[in-house]
Amino acid sequence: MLTAAHSSLAGKRDHVLLCLSCTSLTAAYKEELFQNVLTQVAEQFSRAFKINELKTEVTNRLAMLEKRVELEGMRVVEIEKCRSDIKKLREEMASRNNRSQNNRKHFSLHTVYHLSKETVEALRQPTFDAWQWSLMSCLEHMYHDLGLVKDFNINPITLKRWLLCIHDNYRNNPFHNFRHCFCVTQMMYSMICLCSLQEKFTQVDILILMTAAVCHDLDHPGYNNTTELAVRYNDISPLENHHCAVAFQISPSPTANILLPTSTPRPSADTPGRAGTITLILATDMARHGEILDSFKQKVDCFDYTDEEHVTCLKMVLIKCCDISNEVRPMEVAEPWVDCLLEEYFMQSDREKAEGLPVAPFMDREKVTKPTAQIGFIKFVLIPMFETVMKLFPQIEEVMVQPLRESRDRYEELKQIDDAMNEKKSENLTNGREEEVAESFKQVSYSTGFQFLLSLNFSCIHIN
């Protein structure tokens, strides 16, 4: 009995000890679990505080970046816009060149072209938009309309062949191309009609005016630093002399060149027409601008149409007006020509920089804008010349001189806007740099700053 009792008590004791042991283990496990939870919570809090610190730092950096973006944003936008404009311009030029080639391809020697009444009327106006029309048939029409084909017995097929030769001898430059040749010729045609020049000039003079306009930039290379031509022509209007030479060499056959000698009194080696054509083409050299305009100013108040010297001087001024007349046209017609001219200038200046050559300021893409390029040219070249011509032909004021004044005013407004934007960008850049310097000082460690202050104090003590 006692053995059984002792056995029972021992079993209960062991059960009690086992329960106590389990209780103890459970408490230890819970305590360990609790410690683990506390550790994780502490880590989470630590991470949270670090995240807040990182957020503060990121926010500060973002603020600085936003300021920089604000400062540099306009510049980036302008660069991208410039790239986009250049790309569009090149695509447009390629498209126009293709259209020009198509015009030439479809310009049949044996087809008589009849322009609509609206086109004929538009062709007589300075506002004519040369970007929208077939140029070859319009040029052919001008020669017929002025009576040159009839009066000089020019074979219509010879005229067509000659115009095709002219087209093929203009290069695909951004500016000095066949379309520019057309624009100059069309403006000359417009001035002949507007100023009733056929009532004042002989038909030989009219033929010289038109033909010089057609030929005035033949085989232009697209740049003006032509050493080879300068040597060939002794630095005397080398490009213009080259244009003249090409004009009389582009076709050796009389059946394809209206300038070659025939039985009719047309411009040739033994007639005044050839010399007159050369005189006018050479007058397009801008280096002679002041000389030619001053000579005309001396004659304009007492102009004599019977005086050959007076008439020659007037013809020289007329072709000069037509050669640089784009700003006479409406803005949407004129402005693309500014882009084309600047692109041609920039191509030259880029090449000169690469070769270590001096660059003309008006050709440097880093110094030139549309307004700066046009304002001085319009104010000091175009307007004075056209206003001088206006003394002889008052009818050009409304359709030519007034558009020039409006163009000048528009570019001056654009320049004021550009100047204000540049001033604002300069101020923002200065403020941004000051903030960057201040932020840099803030980021210096306290210990370094403290040491810096101590060094100052010690220096003061040493000095005292």
Side-chain angles (χ1 to χ4, degrees):
M1 291 288 292
L2 288 171
T3 303
H6 280 294
S7 178
S8 176
L9 287 171
K12 289 182 179 179
R13 182 194 61 193
D14 292 340
H15 178 73
V16 170
L17 290 174
L18 180 62
C19 290
L20 289 172
S21 176
C22 290
T23 304
S24 176
L25 287 172
T26 302
Y29 174 75
K30 287 182 177 178
E31 183 178 355
E32 182 182 355
L33 184 61
F34 181 69
Q35 289 296 334
N36 289 337
V37 170
L38 285 178
T39 301
Q40 291 179 11
V41 169
E43 289 178 356
Q44 293 294 332
F45 272 108
S46 176
R47 289 177 184 171
F49 286 125
K50 286 182 179 179
I51 288 174
N52 288 334
E53 291 175 1
L54 287 172
K55 282 183 178 178
T56 303
E57 183 179 354
V58 169
T59 301
N60 291 336
R61 289 184 178 274
L62 281 175
M64 293 298 297
L65 288 172
E66 286 174 357
K67 178 62 70 175
R68 286 192 177 185
V69 169
E70 182 181 354
L71 295 174
E72 301 296 333
M74 288 301 296
R75 184 178 299 175
V76 172
V77 170
E78 288 173 0
I79 291 173
E80 290 302 320
K81 184 178 184 302
C82 182
R83 288 175 178 169
S84 176
D85 289 346
I86 290 173
K87 182 180 178 181
K88 289 179 181 178
L89 178 61
R90 285 174 175 164
E91 290 173 351
E92 187 176 355
M93 286 167 55
S95 173
R96 288 168 181 169
N97 287 335
N98 290 336
R99 289 202 301 268
S100 180
Q101 292 296 331
N102 290 334
N103 287 337
R104 187 209 187 286
K105 189 185 300 182
H106 295 103
F107 185 68
S108 172
L109 292 176
H110 302 285
T111 301
V112 178
Y113 293 91
H114 297 285
L115 303 181
S116 68
K117 183 178 179 181
E118 291 77 11
T119 304
V120 169
E121 183 59 32
L123 199 58
R124 291 171 170 258
Q125 306 302 318
T127 55
F128 187 80
D129 186 355
W131 300 113
Q132 306 295 331
W133 299 87
S134 173
L135 309 184
M136 302 291 281
S137 55
C138 288
L139 282 173
E140 185 183 10
H141 169 82
M142 295 177 205
Y143 273 80
H144 282 277
D145 186 55
L146 292 172
L148 301 177
V149 174
K150 179 181 178 181
D151 292 348
F152 293 98
N153 195 27
I154 300 173
N155 187 320
I157 294 180
T158 299
L159 175 63
K160 288 175 181 285
R161 288 198 184 104
W162 179 70
L163 289 174
L164 289 173
C165 287
I166 292 292
H167 175 279
D168 292 346
N169 279 273
Y170 272 94
R171 303 190 194 184
N172 289 329
N173 300 314
F175 183 87
H176 291 99
N177 50 40
F178 181 70
R179 195 173 296 274
H180 167 66
C181 145
F182 174 85
C183 288
V184 175
T185 308
Q186 186 274 327
M187 188 62 73
M188 181 65 78
Y189 174 71
S190 175
M191 293 195 80
I192 290 171
C193 298
L194 182 65
C195 301
S196 304
L197 293 183
Q198 285 187 293
E199 298 176 5
K200 303 172 177 64
F201 288 167
T202 67
Q203 279 293 81
V204 171
D205 290 327
I206 299 298
L207 181 62
I208 289 171
L209 285 170
M210 291 294 293
T211 304
V214 169
C215 299
H216 83 284
D217 269 335
L218 274 169
D219 196 42
H220 196 295
Y223 50 89
N224 60 16
N225 55 349
T226 52
T227 305
E228 180 184 347
L229 294 179
V231 171
R232 182 183 302 170
Y233 296 108
N234 301 312
D235 296 322
I236 301 173
S237 303
L239 275 175
E240 290 71 26
N241 270 294
H242 178 63
H243 304 325
C244 292
V246 175
F248 291 95
Q249 294 171 356
I250 56 174
S251 177
S253 171
T255 60
N257 194 334
I258 67 171
L259 302 179
L260 290 179
T262 63
S263 59
T264 57
R266 290 180 308 200
S268 63
D270 56 352
T271 65
R274 181 177 185 274
T277 301
I278 293 172
T279 297
L280 264 59
I281 294 176
L282 294 180
T284 62
D285 183 0
M286 286 303 295
R288 299 181 58 200
H289 177 79
E291 163 209 335
I292 294 171
L293 186 58
D294 287 344
S295 176
F296 182 64
K297 285 179 178 178
Q298 295 172 7
K299 299 174 177 61
V300 69
D301 291 330
C302 54
F303 194 85
D304 183 1
Y305 285 100
T306 63
D307 188 322
E308 184 177 347
E309 183 181 348
H310 283 217
V311 171
T312 298
C313 189
L314 173 57
K315 289 189 293 184
M316 292 167 72
V317 171
L318 288 174
I319 195 168
K320 285 177 60 60
C321 287
C322 296
D323 187 25
I324 53 178
S325 63
N326 284 323
E327 290 299 333
V328 169
R329 303 182 190 274
M331 180 190 71
E332 62 274 13
V333 179
E335 192 167 8
W337 282 113
V338 182
D339 296 324
C340 293
L341 183 60
L342 290 179
E343 177 67 10
E344 194 168 294
Y345 282 168
F346 294 160
M347 288 169 60
Q348 174 173 330
S349 64
D350 289 346
R351 183 167 54 249
E352 290 171 341
K353 288 178 184 179
E355 296 174 0
L357 299 174
V359 176
F362 67 90
M363 290 187 176
D364 193 337
R365 69 171 69 246
E366 297 175 3
K367 299 178 181 179
V368 178
T369 63
K370 279 189 195 178
T372 58
Q374 293 301 96
I375 291 172
F377 187 68
I378 295 172
K379 287 176 66 173
F380 303 115
V381 177
L382 288 176
I383 290 178
M385 181 166 63
F386 275 84
E387 285 182 340
T388 304
V389 174
M390 187 179 71
K391 293 181 179 180
L392 205 58
F393 304 110
Q395 58 267 45
I396 73 168
E397 180 173 17
E398 182 179 352
V399 294
M400 293 185 175
V401 179
Q402 188 57 33
L404 286 176
R405 294 167 181 159
E406 293 171 359
S407 181
R408 173 202 59 198
D409 295 343
R410 182 171 62 86
Y411 278 116
E412 286 181 338
E413 289 176 4
L414 289 175
K415 185 177 184 301
Q416 289 177 358
I417 294 171
D418 286 350
D419 290 344
M421 290 178 64
N422 290 333
E423 185 177 351
K424 183 177 180 181
K425 282 194 291 184
S426 179
E427 290 176 358
N428 289 340
L429 188 60
T430 302
N431 294 336
R433 285 175 178 168
E434 290 175 354
E435 290 180 9
E436 286 183 16
V437 171
E439 185 64 25
S440 297
F441 276 113
K442 286 180 183 178
Q443 292 175 1
V444 175
S445 66
Y446 286 109
S447 60
T448 305
F450 183 66
Q451 291 173 5
F452 177 68
L453 290 173
L454 283 177
S455 68
L456 288 179
N457 289 335
F458 288 143
S459 297
C460 293
I461 293 169
H462 178 72
I463 292 170
N464 292 334

